């Protein structure tokens, strides 16, 4: 082969030639490159969930560059394509390993004392899951199958790892859209929740000062993760991978005798898995799977699920306000979605606007933690029904 032939072969294997080979669809991967860039911009400039949006956005760019062979569809792999780097990383997501390991780290970081000190706030975490089941029916009415509708509805729990876990099990072709929607709404909690809270509460209700959260005995904190694991495993077995790892991490924290393991779960393990999880999710943001009308519906339904979840939590908070004789601030119900700790901080800021001496953070973090447990249990229920 002559020099010109070698140059021609080289040019035929460049990414530019790959774009040209796409013909009329050349613009689709370019749009996804812009989407990846936008995710990275939001992560850096706006600090919207940067730990995950940066790897998701960069992986989105990687898989939409032609001829890189980093990631393949199931059909391509069955056709004999060799696995690329992101194929191997995605295996950890497809097998359901990464999200439970994230929950392990989350459990090791979490002090459930505010929830245990006021166990009635468990109800607020449960109420905030109504958005999930309402959206499930709406998605089915729009023509989505039950597994697809369940994957979309779980966005309402405002828990990224749970949404990823459920979707990877039930409808992995929606994984990119569901993950982007879930983390977008988690990042936008300070924008989405305040108007809903103000609409459903009065100034008097928002000004309620709640009592301090009392301390919880160490023995109770140690027994709690064991009791929750047994309860979840016996009642909703599919939720066990998430609940079990969350509570195992918390037991490492509360035991007080395995600080090395607790710190490793909180830091090294969580950081490594976060990188892999983000890359695996971003690998599903291909033009073929993301640039569809279904993606717009998923984003809209996800917003509806999150909004209804916030509203249902606040409405139950109003009921507790009445039952308690005005001792419960209804706003803490909005923290029942599991966007930890952003939803609790929103409640804290709104409470202080109405009353500068009002400190609701610890009262709001209890429902916030209940929401984490509630969304994982809701995911287990949906998997059991699928």
């Amino acid at each position: 082969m002559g020099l010109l032939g070698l140059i021609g072969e080289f040019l035929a294997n460049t990414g530019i030639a790959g774009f040209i080979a796409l013909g009329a669809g050349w613009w689709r991967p370019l749009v996804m490159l812009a989407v990846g860039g936008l995710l990275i911009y939001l992560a850096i400039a706006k600090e919207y969930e940067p730990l995950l949006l940066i790897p998701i956005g960069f992986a989105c760019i990687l898989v939409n560059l032609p001829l890189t062979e980093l990631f393949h569809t199931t059909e391509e792999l069955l056709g004999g394509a060799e696995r690329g780097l992101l194929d191997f990383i995605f295996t950890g997501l497809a097998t359901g390993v990464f999200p439970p390991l994230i929950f392990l780290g989350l459990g090791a970081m979490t002090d459930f004392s505010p929830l245990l000190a006021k166990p009635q706030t468990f109800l607020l975490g449960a109420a905030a899951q109504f958005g999930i089941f309402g959206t499930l029916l709406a998605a089915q009415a729009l023509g989505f199958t039950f597994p697809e509708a369940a994957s979309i509805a779980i966005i309402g729990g405002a828990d990224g790892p749970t949404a990823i876990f459920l979707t990877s099990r039930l409808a992995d072709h929606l994984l990119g859209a569901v993950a982007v929607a879930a983390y977008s709404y988690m990042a936008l909690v300070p924008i989405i929740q305040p108007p809903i809270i103000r609409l459903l509460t009065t100034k008097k209700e928002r000004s309620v000062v709640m009592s301090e959260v009392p301390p919880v005995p160490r023995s109770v904190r140690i027994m709690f993760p064991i009791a929750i694991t047994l309860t979840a495993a016996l009642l909703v077995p599919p939720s066990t991978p998430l609940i079990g790892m969350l509570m195992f991490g918390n037991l490492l924290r509360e035991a007080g005798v395995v600080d090395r393991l607790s710190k490793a779960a909180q830091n090294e393990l969580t950081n490594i898995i976060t990188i892999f999880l983000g890359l695996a999710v971003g690998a599903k943001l291909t033009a073929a799977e993301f640039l569809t009308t279904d993606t717009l519906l998923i984003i809209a339904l996800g917003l509806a699920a999150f909004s209804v979840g916030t509203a249902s939590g606040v409405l139950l908070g109003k009921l507790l306000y009445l039952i308690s004789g005005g001792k419960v601030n209804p706003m803490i119900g909005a923290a029942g979605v599991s966007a930890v700790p952003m939803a609790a901080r929103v409640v804290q800021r709104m409470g202080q606007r109405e009353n500068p001496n009002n400190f609701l953070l610890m009262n709001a973090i209890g429902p916030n933690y209940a929401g984490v447990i509630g969304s994982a249990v809701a995911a287990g229920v949906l998997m059991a029904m699928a």
Side-chain angles (χ1 to χ4, degrees):
M1 183 180 295
L3 179 60
L4 291 178
L6 290 173
I7 293 175
E9 184 175 350
F10 170 77
L11 293 176
N13 287 284
T14 61
I16 295 172
F19 277 116
I20 294 173
L22 294 173
W26 63 270
W27 59 272
R28 294 172 63 83
L30 290 180
V31 171
M32 294 310 300
L33 294 182
V35 169
L38 176 62
L39 294 177
I40 294 173
Y41 167 78
L42 293 174
I44 296 174
K46 303 297 183 181
E47 297 187 12
Y48 289 169
E49 296 293 329
L51 295 179
L52 270 164
L53 287 192
I54 288 178
I56 288 175
F58 198 78
C60 175
I61 292 173
L62 289 175
V63 297
N64 285 285
L65 291 170
L67 307 181
T68 57
E69 299 297 324
L70 288 170
F71 188 72
H72 301 85
T73 64
T74 302
E75 292 74 16
E76 289 172 335
L77 292 174
L78 291 176
E82 291 188 13
R83 289 181 180 271
L85 173 63
L86 293 179
D87 287 313
F88 288 106
I89 293 176
F90 185 77
T91 302
L93 183 57
T95 55
V97 172
F98 290 162
L101 290 180
I102 290 289
F103 263 56
L104 170 61
L106 178 61
M109 300 176 196
T110 302
D111 179 5
F112 284 107
S113 294
L115 178 60
L116 295 171
K118 296 187 176 183
Q120 67 271 23
T121 56
F122 263 111
L123 298 174
L124 298 173
Q129 309 311 314
F130 282 124
I132 294 175
F133 295 99
T135 304
L136 173 69
L137 299 177
Q140 284 188 285
L142 289 172
F144 289 99
T145 65
F146 182 87
E148 291 173 336
S151 300
I152 296 167
I154 199 65
I155 297 171
D159 189 324
T162 299
I164 291 169
F165 179 76
L166 181 67
T167 306
S168 67
R169 291 293 185 88
L170 299 185
D172 69 345
H173 59 288
L174 300 181
L175 187 57
V178 168
V180 168
Y183 282 105
S184 296
Y185 294 135
M186 286 174 63
L188 294 174
V189 162
I191 297 173
I192 297 172
Q193 284 198 320
I196 298 172
I197 294 172
R198 283 193 290 268
L199 178 66
L200 297 176
T201 58
T202 65
K203 180 176 177 61
K204 178 182 178 182
E205 291 170 340
R206 295 193 296 272
S207 301
V208 170
V209 177
M210 295 184 65
S211 62
E212 293 185 4
V213 175
V216 176
R218 180 167 176 261
S219 59
V220 175
R221 300 199 310 271
I222 291 174
M223 290 302 300
F224 174 73
I226 299 172
I228 289 294
T229 301
L230 292 174
T231 302
L234 292 174
L235 295 180
V236 190
S239 70
T240 308
L242 293 176
I243 294 293
M245 287 298 98
L246 178 70
M247 293 303 153
F248 174 55
N250 188 245
L251 182 60
L252 294 179
R253 172 194 176 94
E254 299 298 348
V257 293
V258 285
D259 285 346
R260 286 173 55 189
L261 298 184
S262 177
K263 290 177 181 177
Q266 293 178 44
N267 298 293
E268 294 86 357
L269 177 63
T270 298
N271 291 337
I272 291 170
I273 297 300
T274 297
I275 292 172
F276 287 160
L277 180 64
L279 290 173
V281 170
K284 295 295 287 184
L285 288 176
T286 59
E289 293 192 354
F290 191 80
L291 294 180
T292 66
T293 54
D294 284 351
T295 297
L296 296 177
L297 283 174
I298 289 169
I299 292 173
L301 287 167
L303 176 60
F306 181 74
S307 300
V308 172
T310 297
S312 58
V314 173
L315 290 175
L316 182 58
K318 288 174 71 74
L319 179 60
L320 294 180
Y321 168 83
L322 294 173
I323 293 174
S324 66
K327 296 180 180 179
V328 174
N329 191 312
M331 290 196 299
I332 69 170
V337 297
S338 60
V340 178
M342 289 171 288
R345 288 174 178 166
V346 167
V347 172
Q348 163 72 6
R349 285 196 292 267
M350 292 188 69
Q352 288 207 306
R353 285 196 195 101
E354 304 295 347
N355 182 346
N357 297 316
N358 201 357
F359 298 93
L360 292 170
L361 184 62
M362 295 308 293
N363 280 286
I365 205 71
N368 221 178
Y369 291 152
V372 175
I373 298 172
S375 64
V377 170
V381 171
L382 292 173
M383 282 191 286
M385 296 169 63

